[in-house]
Structures are given as structure tokens and as C-alpha cells.
Amino acid sequence: MKVYRDAYGIPHLRAGSVLDLAWLQGRVTATDRGRQITVERLRSEGRLASVAGAAEVGWDRFARRVRLDETARRSFAELDDATRRWLRAYAAGVRAGGVDWQPWSSLGVFQVQHILFGTFGNKMWRAHVERTLGPDAVAWFATEGPGGSGSNAWTIPGEIAGDPHRLLELPGVYQQIRLACPAFDVAGLTFPGVPGVQHFGHTGSVAWAITNAMADYQDLYIEELRMTGNGFEARGASGWEPVVTHQETIVVRDGPPVVVDVLETARGPVIDGNLSLRTPSLSTSDLGFGALLPLLHACTVDDVADALSRWVEPVNSVLTADSTGRTLQLTVGRVPQRDERNRIVPVPAWEARYAWRPEWAPMFRAEVTTAVNANDRRPDTGPYGVDFAPPARARRIRELLESGVPHESIHMDTALPADSAEAGRRMAERSAVARGLCDLPALRPLFSPSGHDPLFAPWTDPRARIGLALDGVLAGLGLDPVALAAAPSPSPSASASPLPGSPDSFWGARHLLHPLQLPGLDVDVPEVRLGGSAGCVLNTSSIPGVSDLCWRGPVARYVWDLADRRRSRWVVPFGASDDPASPHFLDQLPLWAHGALVPLVTDWEELMEEPLIVFAEKLPGLGELTVIPLDPVAHAPVVHGWVTKERNRFWGMGEHSVADVEEIYGYVDSLESHHAYLLLLDDGPIGIFQTYEPSLDPVGECYDVQPGDFGLHLLIDAEGRDLPHLTSAVFPALLRHLFAADPARARIIAEPDMRNDRSISRLRREGFTLGPEIDLGHKRAQLAFLDRVRFEAAER
């Protein structure tokens, strides 16, 4: 296993097997994004307030109510064996990097990124509009809401390019990575905490890219609830049904605990008041993770389509092209078939007409030559959704492609440059119009309380909704925007606070990058003046009348070249690391701001190899123990010096040459079941540590191997160094590492030579139970077993 990095610190990983590569991806993610994935895991478990305080109680309450962690656990249990092993290997790598992680944690953080990415917030808003302004007013707001997208993807023969748009978060939502093993070599963008490459990738022979299909796949049901002697019941289509209920307690840093009632009806969890949420993933305990491993193995567009046939949500538009010249347009995911009213507002749970039908809607697939996806209504998306982006962005991209404009220029295309005073005046006028609308008596009913949890304010705040749907609201009211902007505000106190900057200033002087920072991160981000707005390709969104600051925009840009992957390029808004002290925390920001891209380096010789630390622990009074993979060539001389000593004769390599040692450990390095590591103390070598799967080792033929058995060999040799009680400190540390690295490990196995009294005594002292003697041919060995439960009890 090896880690390489380019000049921007982007990790390129190589391993001998798929599972080793998953472990390595987890380990590197813990190194590069450990702070970030810890926060995301706590979010998925509804425990972020325990470290971040009362500000996060709203999210934790929602996470508990919607049962994110429970869904992750259920979904993990339903996965195929290969995917579960893959997730376990990734989790073991994350834990080796010192971050608490379970195999289902990846499913949890994936939900964190997408549970609010769908349509149920829009339904809350439409219901509020119907109640306050009447059903006809719903059409005024028929545009992308705060949870919408501004993503673009396009393909021409031989290339795919694009830029996903989401909240601009620091550190970024996507992590650039390359994953290489004998089975595949994939470069792409991943969610930190999720193995593989999900949305944007290039295997060398096939590439893919996604945009939000704007599909409606989340339903809200109005539940009628009652308390009986047996607990809560909800009225369903056939009568009263039991509701699963319990209470959970949110621990709040520097504050009192908060008790949450968790209710789940036959439709789904009750998330707010009497509204339950039904989604494909919640209802089937399937998050679509069965697609991720096959996607890495894809070689053709058909392979990509087959892998993504397992996708669940969010529902995506996919462009995929391969080196044969074929290109497919796909819609992937699960969309329920049900009444049209379900798509608009919350519907009564007790009316049978609103129940889901047994079959999912059939998905779209077509061969294309060129295509543009910009969240617009198209034949591949129209049947699945309600709200789509206006068509202007897609039209503009087609015009630029037909004119031969380079991809980077398309990414940055806008009619509102940052250095334009005219753009500044235009946007100031739109803000004035939006503020004027908010003060009109005709819209005042919108400002009555919605009754929804404050967490959903981005979807239910009238001021934001009016600003985002400005033209539709003006048309619906039949108003002249020029006259409205010129009229004095009748109630200044009802308006938002004054917008920063002068209305006569350049657009970029007010339209500044304003990322949402990770809880606990308080970094002064350099001032970045941005051009663009929600209506152009450079979709750096702000909300007229609320703020000119930009907190939604392109969270990555990429160009995948199918003819020669070496010509591919990519960029993210900030950098590869979540550590403000790292040189790679913000080093891509200047490139991103000016539309430049980082080359995708594919030649391993052009990358910088980085030492991989598998495990590290401070040993009091001795120094820092580190464990690194044993390099058969580089480490053969020092290993040879140890194994040929008389005191280490039981290692069985006393007559070997340096070349023999190199050959033996080269063979071990080629196995998926056996691994060899070098032990270092403060960077000085002190021994060899080997692990193996007993069922795939000769020892497995000599005893009844149990699930969870895991074998080890250990040689410590620090002769010439004054390190008293070294083995007594190192051995327990390694045992802690082995058990922590994989929860499935139930028992550690050792089989020292029967004549090695010193080793057998050591095993006894560490809590091993001696088993039978066995004949391994080259030695007669003493089996010894250390049960996890016994070890953990002794550790306490």
C-alpha cells in the first residue's frame, strides 16, 4: 500500500487489493479530513450538540426524529457481503487514522449530505402559500428553492465537463482522490467519509458525471395521531395503526439535555409536528450503496449504467462516455408512483389515494452524442419532478459549445462580472424590488408563522422565497418592478437589514465568497470577489433582498478527457486538507476563483510518495510507536540483520540472505490475507509485526478456525538501545490496534515455536489462553488465543 500526492496534496492511492485500497482510503481520509468526518458522523448520529453546543440541537433533533443512524445500520445489514466487507475495510482504515468510525458510519454521513437535498422542504413551503395566499399563488414561486441546485454537466465527443453546485462549505463537500489496485484505477470526487467515487469519476476507459435530476421522491404525510392505553396510534387508510415510539436524550455541551420524542408510523418517521416523511431509502432500508463498488470496476458506459441501476437517492441525471465513443444519458434512482397531489404538498395519511404504488417509476436511458444537463426540464427528467431550473443556463451552455468555447470559459460564463459597476447597479435594483415586495400588504400573510421547526427556515422563510422567485412573484401580482423599486418602503422596520456595500459599487465588492464553516472552525478566509448570479453558468447564488453574499456555488469543476486521461483536470474551492495549518487548506482557492483547473496527474513517477503510517501511539517514557507497511526492498537489510541473530532463531530465517528476505516479504506483500509491517520507535526501527487470516494460512488446517479469528507474529529487536520494558509497552499497544481496527475481530491467534519459552510466557502475561500443540511442518507450535471480551475487560 502506498500513498502519493501531487503538488496540491491530492491523494493518489495504490494497493494490492480492493480491500487494502478501501482501508488505505479510510486511513488517508482520517488524515486529510479527520475533523470534517468526525463532525459528519456526529451529525448522522444526532450527537453534534454534545461537542458544538446548543446551536446544533435543531439538527440533532431532526437527525434523531428522521432516524439517520438507525437507517444507516439497517441499510448496512441489508447490503451484499462484498459491499459490507468493503465498508468494514474502509472503517478499519479510518480508525487506524485515529477517528472513531463504524462500517455503517459511511451510510450515515451520506444521508447527512442528502436528506435535505430533496423536495419535502418545498412541500412545506407550498402548503404555507396555499394556506396564506391561496392555491393560485403557488405558481408564483415555481422555481428552484433554497435547497435547489445550479449544477451543470455537458458532454461532447471525447469529453465530459461540468460543475456541481451546492452549499459552499469549508472544508469542501467533495474530496479529490485517485484509487488504484489491480482491479481498477479510478480518479474522481468523493464525499469525505464515503469510500469509492460516487458522482464524478474517470477510470481511464469510461467517465461519468451527475447533476440533480430535480425529481420528486420525498413525500410528507399529515398524520392524525392519538394516545391509547397501548401507546400512540396513527390513522391509516384502513384504520388506526400502531406507532413505534421512544424517547432519546440529546446531550448539549454547556447546556441542559434535550429530550426528543421519536415516532415512526407506517409511512415513515414523524419529523415535524404531525408530518411524517416517506422516502425510498427510509422505506426500504436501502441507500444505494450496492452501486458503489461495481461503479469502481466500470470499463464501459454499459457498466456504469448497470452499476447505477442500483442507485436509490438522490435521483440523478447522469452523463457517461467511454473510449469507444459511446455516450449515454441516464436518470438513476427510485421515484415512487403515486397521486399527483403528493408531489405538491403534504397529503393526508388516512386517504388511500395517496399511498405509494408497489412499482418504482421506470428510469430513462438513451444513447446521445452531445448533451447538456443544467437541472432543466427535459425528456429524461420531466416525468419525475415538479420544480426545475429555468432553461436559460442549458441554452447558454449549448451556444458556447457550438461556438467552440473552452470548457474553463464555459464554467466561468456570466453576464454579471465581478468588476462591473453596471452589474452592481442591476443587482442592487433587484434587491430593492425584493425588499419592496416583502412590504406589500398583498404578501403580508406569508409572514405569519409557518409552525415549522426553525431548521427548515431556508425552505419556509418568505423573504428568501420572494427573493429567489422574484420575477414569478412580480408577474403573479401584475407589478411593475421599476415603480416598485422607486417607491419608499411603507414599513422600514419590516425590511431586512441594509445590504453591505454601496449600490453603485462593483458587483464583486458586495458579492463576496461566504462559505459555511465547520463547527469549531473559525478561519479568516481571504476576500474573494465573485461574478455571476443564479441565472448564469457561473451560478454563484445570492438572495436578492436578503444578502449579496455568496454561500452557494460550484463545489468542484472538472473536465474528463476520454481520449487521454492525462489531459483531464479538476479543482475544488478550497483544498485537500481540513487543517488550517496545512499548505493544502486553501491552496486551490485562487484557481477556483479565477476559473483555472488542476491537472489530473496520472504518471506515478510525477507524484510524491508519502510514508504511510498504519498506526501510531505514544508509549510513556519510551517515545512514539509507529507502524508502517514493510517495504520488501528498502527494509530487507535491516530485517535480515534481525532474523539472522541467534536470539531470534525461532523466527526461522537464520540461514537466509538479504535477497531471500526480500523475496519472502515480496511474496507476503502480494497476498491479500497476509501483511507485514515495520515497527518504529521515534523513527528508529525496532521490529517486525505480521498479521494473517488463519483460514488462509497453514495454521488454519491445524485447528477449528472461528469467525473473527485473526493471527499475528511479532519480533522486537532494539538491541543497543536503552529501552527497558519495551515489549511490555509495544505488545499491548499492537493488540489495542488490532481489536480497534476491525470490530469483527473476536479473537487474536498466535502460534510460537514450542521451544520459545520467552514468547509463550509473554503471551500468558498478556492474557492469552494456551490451546493445543500443532505441527506446522517447519516447527511444532503452541496455539494461543486472546478473546476480545477478555482483553477489553483487562484494559478497563
Side-chain angles (χ1 to χ4, degrees):
M1 295 187 287
K2 292 188 177 181
V3 178
Y4 298 82
R5 296 190 186 268
D6 68 5
Y8 290 89
I10 298 170
H12 295 242
L13 312 181
R14 297 177 80 175
S17 70
V18 173
L19 294 183
D20 282 349
L21 187 59
W23 183 96
L24 188 57
Q25 185 180 5
R27 178 67 177 84
V28 168
T29 300
T31 300
D32 291 0
R33 300 292 187 95
R35 294 173 174 83
Q36 182 180 18
I37 64 173
T38 296
V39 167
E40 301 305 330
R41 177 183 60 78
L42 291 171
R43 280 188 173 130
S44 74
E45 296 170 357
R47 297 196 302 116
L48 186 55
S50 66
V51 298
E56 300 298 335
V57 167
W59 171 268
D60 283 357
R61 181 170 50 234
F62 171 68
R64 304 294 185 100
R65 287 173 171 170
V66 82
R67 309 200 74 184
L68 292 187
D69 187 56
E70 177 63 22
T71 301
R73 291 170 184 263
R74 290 177 184 172
S75 300
F76 177 78
E78 295 296 322
L79 286 169
D80 60 278
D81 289 342
T83 304
R84 281 202 302 269
R85 287 195 298 271
W86 185 57
L87 285 166
R88 285 193 182 104
Y90 180 86
V94 175
R95 286 193 299 274
V99 176
D100 186 14
W101 206 257
Q102 298 297 330
W104 53 84
S105 298
S106 295
L107 291 92
V109 302
F110 187 80
Q111 289 182 96
V112 168
Q113 297 297 343
H114 294 110
I115 189 67
L116 296 178
F117 202 69
T119 53
F120 79 80
N122 293 342
K123 295 176 184 182
M124 289 178 172
W125 170 248
R126 291 194 201 100
H128 182 65
V129 174
E130 283 193 354
R131 285 193 303 268
T132 57
L133 299 183
D136 292 343
V138 170
W140 304 351
F141 300 91
T143 185
E144 289 183 281
S149 183
S151 302
N152 308 295
W154 58 87
T155 181
I156 59 176
E159 290 182 320
I160 293 178
D163 49 4
H165 286 62
R166 300 172 65 112
L167 283 176
L168 289 160
E169 299 175 76
L170 179 64
V173 68
Y174 283 119
Q175 176 188 27
Q176 298 150 294
I177 202 161
R178 182 181 175 195
L179 306 170
C181 65
F184 52 76
D185 183 342
V186 183
L189 293 138
T190 183
F191 293 103
V194 182
V197 169
Q198 301 86 44
H199 288 170
F200 316 92
H202 194 335
T203 72
S205 61
V206 66
W208 62 90
I210 69 98
T211 53
N212 187 351
M214 310 303 286
D216 179 67
Y217 54 89
Q218 296 179 329
D219 279 355
L220 287 175
Y221 285 91
I222 303 167
E223 300 283 356
E224 184 178 342
L225 302 168
R226 72 179 185 185
M227 174 64 80
T228 71
N230 296 320
F232 276 104
E233 291 183 338
R235 186 153 72 102
S238 58
W240 291 96
E241 307 160 340
V243 175
V244 178
T245 64
H246 69 277
Q247 286 188 329
E248 298 184 12
T249 300
I250 298 171
V251 177
V252 182
R253 180 180 178 182
D254 299 327
V258 176
V259 177
V260 180
D261 291 312
V262 180
L263 293 81
E264 188 166 10
T265 74
R267 270 69 53 197
V270 176
I271 62 165
D272 189 38
N274 65 339
L275 295 178
S276 65
L277 176 66
R278 185 168 176 80
T279 78
S281 61
L282 293 175
S283 62
T284 64
S285 296
D286 184 356
L287 288 166
F289 268 49
L292 301 187
L293 201 49
L295 191 58
L296 293 175
H297 289 83
C299 297
T300 68
V301 293
D302 293 320
D303 294 337
V304 171
D306 181 61
L308 292 177
S309 67
R310 303 167 177 85
W311 195 260
V312 177
E313 58 181 78
V315 179
N316 289 327
S317 295
V318 180
L319 292 175
T320 178
D322 62 29
S323 55
T324 70
R326 292 183 63 210
T327 302
L328 292 181
Q329 170 88 61
L330 308 168
T331 306
V332 300
R334 293 181 186 166
V335 177
Q337 301 193 74
R338 72 280 204 217
D339 192 272
E340 284 300 309
R341 181 70 172 167
N342 290 51
R343 296 183 174 209
I344 308 302
V345 292
V347 293
W350 54 89
E351 294 192 19
R353 61 179 287 195
Y354 300 122
W356 286 10
R357 296 167 200 151
E359 307 85 13
W360 305 111
M363 291 289 100
F364 182 93
R365 171 174 172 162
E367 297 261 358
V368 296
T369 303
T370 62
V372 175
N373 294 349
N375 314 124
D376 51 324
R377 188 186 297 272
R378 307 181 304 272
D380 57 300
T381 60
Y384 307 113
V386 175
D387 287 323
F388 294 90
R393 241 188 317 125
R395 281 200 304 265
R396 178 59 177 165
I397 294 170
R398 290 190 189 95
E399 292 171 0
L400 296 170
L401 288 172
E402 290 168 1
S403 301
V405 173
H407 297 298
E408 286 87 341
S409 297
I410 296 177
H411 285 144
M412 299 297 289
D413 183 70
T414 181
L416 298 171
D419 60 355
S420 168
E422 175 58 31
R425 283 192 293 273
R426 176 179 166 188
M427 296 305 289
E429 289 170 359
R430 290 184 65 80
S431 287
V433 170
R435 286 161 161 275
L437 281 173
C438 290
D439 289 324
L440 289 180
L443 294 181
R444 193 165 297 151
L446 275 181
F447 290 84
S448 61
S450 69
H452 293 302
D453 191 296
L455 180 73
F456 305 120
W459 290 265
T460 59
D461 175 27
R463 198 171 302 281
R465 282 289 187 168
I466 291 169
L468 290 166
L470 187 57
D471 296 322
V473 176
L474 286 167
L477 293 172
L479 294 175
D480 177 2
V482 175
L484 186 65
S489 173
S491 54
S493 61
S495 298
S497 58
L499 299 176
S502 164
D504 297 325
S505 62
F506 292 155
W507 174 225
R510 305 197 310 275
H511 193 47
L512 302 171
L513 174 65
H514 188 69
L516 178 67
Q517 296 197 29
L518 199 70
L521 191 67
D522 186 15
V523 177
D524 291 329
V525 179
E527 181 180 281
V528 177
R529 298 187 172 199
L530 298 172
S533 69
C536 61
V537 181
L538 180 59
N539 193 305
T540 52
S541 304
S542 58
I543 303 179
V546 175
S547 176
D548 288 329
L549 297 175
C550 173
W551 58 83
R552 179 179 291 275
V555 292
R557 297 190 184 102
Y558 57 87
V559 177
W560 299 144
D561 192 304
L562 271 301
D564 186 350
R565 189 165 69 161
R566 293 173 298 180
R567 295 198 296 256
S568 298
R569 47 232 189 256
W570 52 0
V571 75
V572 293
F574 303 110
S577 173
D578 69 1
D579 182 0
S582 168
H584 305 302
F585 181 63
L586 293 175
D587 59 339
Q588 294 186 55
L589 178 56
L591 302 177
W592 176 86
H594 293 95
L597 302 176
V598 175
L600 171 58
V601 180
T602 59
D603 187 342
W604 297 100
E605 299 298 323
E606 296 179 12
L607 298 165
M608 297 169 285
E609 185 175 351
E610 176 179 275
L612 172 66
I613 298 176
V614 172
F615 168 69
E617 183 176 308
K618 294 282 188 181
L619 302 182
L622 294 171
E624 184 173 42
L625 171 71
T626 55
V627 181
I628 65 173
L630 192 148
D631 186 316
V633 176
H635 299 149
V638 68
V639 172
H640 176 263
W642 290 329
V643 300
T644 54
K645 289 180 180 180
E646 171 61 21
R647 67 191 297 263
N648 296 326
R649 62 189 180 279
F650 296 117
W651 200 256
M653 297 173 66
E655 303 300 322
H656 286 59
S657 66
V658 173
D660 293 334
V661 171
E662 181 179 326
E663 181 180 355
I664 289 169
Y665 282 105
Y667 173 69
V668 171
D669 192 47
S670 71
L671 301 175
E672 293 188 25
S673 56
H674 291 61
H675 300 282
Y677 305 95
L678 194 71
L679 301 179
L680 305 172
L681 189 68
D682 289 342
D683 298 327
I686 59 167
I688 312 165
F689 178 49
Q690 294 178 217
T691 63
Y692 63 90
E693 298 286 348
S695 61
L696 300 174
D697 186 89
V699 74
E701 301 174 6
C702 302
Y703 85 103
D704 184 17
V705 178
Q706 302 296 313
D709 281 0
F710 196 71
L712 67 77
H713 300 293
L714 177 63
L715 183 155
I716 294 179
D717 192 321
E719 193 172 10
R721 298 175 66 179
D722 184 17
L723 298 170
H725 312 297
L726 179 62
T727 304
S728 297
V730 170
F731 204 179
L734 295 175
L735 294 173
R736 284 193 291 273
H737 162 60
L738 290 182
F739 280 125
D742 189 350
R745 290 175 186 160
R747 205 167 53 157
I748 302 298
I749 312 302
E751 22 84 15
D753 192 297
M754 281 293 302
R755 298 167 295 172
N756 193 346
D757 296 331
R758 185 176 60 179
S759 178
I760 294 171
S761 296
R762 166 62 58 186
L763 293 173
R764 280 199 181 104
R765 286 197 296 275
E766 299 299 340
F768 281 75
T769 300
L770 299 187
E773 298 178 15
I774 58 174
D775 188 354
L776 291 173
H778 65 286
K779 70 176 181 181
R780 188 154 186 85
Q782 171 67 66
L783 271 178
F785 305 94
L786 178 62
D787 181 79
R788 173 190 283 274
V789 174
R790 181 175 180 179
F791 175 76
E792 291 179 346
E795 284 282 286
R796 288 195 294 270

